[in-house]
């Protein structure tokens, strides 16, 4: 529509329409954020890159299924790290074993491909990812909260805690 912005009434109409549009945009954003938080509090997966070892459950939204071939690799990451006691040595040992990490990411999470081998960074990420013990993490006002996830754990709590303890010693 054409509005005469040279008059006070026309300018007021344009500003009113812009304010209503901004209100709608913010209200939609608040609803989406509230829905994401509610789903996270129920332990559901909200999207993004799916962690190695899992795949989306096609029958239940927000649920992940354990991908057995990758789960064994994740278990070996923890086992090897606890044996070697350093991320660098664990990475060398895992790469010698010939594991092939899928370069393609499942789900969302960007368009960067994985390297296809174990590195310091991706081993550390796995050793500290609570997803692997069946815990869903989320933030409320900058504070990290956790709840039981809707998916099965790949790693036991004891193994995860042992890795966390070894990482703290190494630090």
């Amino acid at each position: 529509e054409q509005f005469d912005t040279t008059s006070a009434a026309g300018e007021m109409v344009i500003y009113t329409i812009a304010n209503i549009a901004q209100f709608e945009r913010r209200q939609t954003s608040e609803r989406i954020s509230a829905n994401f938080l509610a789903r996270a509090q129920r332990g559901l997966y909200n999207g993004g890159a799916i962690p190695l070892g899992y795949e989306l459950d096609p029958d239940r939204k927000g649920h992940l299924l354990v991908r057995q071939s990758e789960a064994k690799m994740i278990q070996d990451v923890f086992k090897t790290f606890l044996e070697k006691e350093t991320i660098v040595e664990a990475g060398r040992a895992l790469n010698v074993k010939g594991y092939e990490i899928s370069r393609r990411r499942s789900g969302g999470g960007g368009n960067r491909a994985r390297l296809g081998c174990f590195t310091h960074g991706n081993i550390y990420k796995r050793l500290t990812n609570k997803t692997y013990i069946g815990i869903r993490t989320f933030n409320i006002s900058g504070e990290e909260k956790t709840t039981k996830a809707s998916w099965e754990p790949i790693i036991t709590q004891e193994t995860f805690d042992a890795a966390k303890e070894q990482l703290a010693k190494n630090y």
Side-chain angles (χ1 to χ4, degrees):
E1 296 193 29
Q2 292 189 8
F3 296 100
D4 180 13
T5 57
T6 59
S7 69
E11 190 175 320
M12 181 197 71
V13 169
I14 291 291
Y15 282 128
T16 302
I17 291 171
N19 282 331
I20 290 170
Q22 182 178 5
F23 168 75
E24 285 293 325
R25 187 172 56 245
R26 295 227 14 217
Q27 195 172 36
T28 300
S29 174
E30 289 171 3
R31 279 193 219 119
I32 290 170
S33 295
N35 189 36
F36 273 17
L37 180 59
R39 287 174 53 81
Q41 289 172 326
R42 292 193 330 256
L44 298 173
Y45 169 74
N46 269 338
I50 298 170
L52 200 62
Y54 290 100
E55 62 188 348
L56 285 176
D57 185 338
D59 300 326
R60 300 180 335 187
K61 289 186 177 184
H63 294 260
L64 299 176
L65 296 173
V66 174
R67 185 178 282 165
Q68 290 304 324
S69 59
E70 292 178 357
K72 290 184 186 341
M73 182 179 9
I74 295 300
Q75 290 166 342
D76 202 22
V77 167
F78 278 82
K79 180 182 173 220
T80 304
F81 171 71
L82 291 172
E83 287 172 0
K84 300 294 184 181
E85 297 183 339
T86 69
I87 292 176
V88 171
E89 289 301 318
R92 285 185 186 132
L94 289 164
N95 286 328
V96 166
K97 289 181 182 182
Y99 282 118
E100 290 185 28
I101 301 172
S102 170
R103 291 182 171 272
R104 189 166 181 267
R105 292 179 187 266
S106 307
N111 54 6
R112 284 187 14 206
R114 292 186 179 117
L115 290 175
C117 63
F118 286 102
T119 64
H120 184 281
N122 68 30
I123 292 174
Y124 181 83
K125 227 178 190 178
R126 287 173 183 58
L127 293 173
T128 58
N129 190 344
K130 292 180 182 176
T131 299
Y132 294 123
I133 54 171
I135 300 290
R136 175 71 165 91
T137 60
F138 55 95
N139 288 312
I140 297 178
S141 301
E143 184 180 343
E144 185 179 273
K145 304 279 185 178
T146 61
T147 190
K148 184 179 180 334
S150 63
W151 52 84
E152 293 297 315
I154 293 175
I155 301 298
T156 65
Q157 182 72 50
E158 294 77 26
T159 302
F160 188 82
D161 290 342
K164 185 176 176 181
E165 188 177 309
Q166 185 61 46
L167 285 169
K169 282 182 192 176
N170 293 354
Y171 186 73

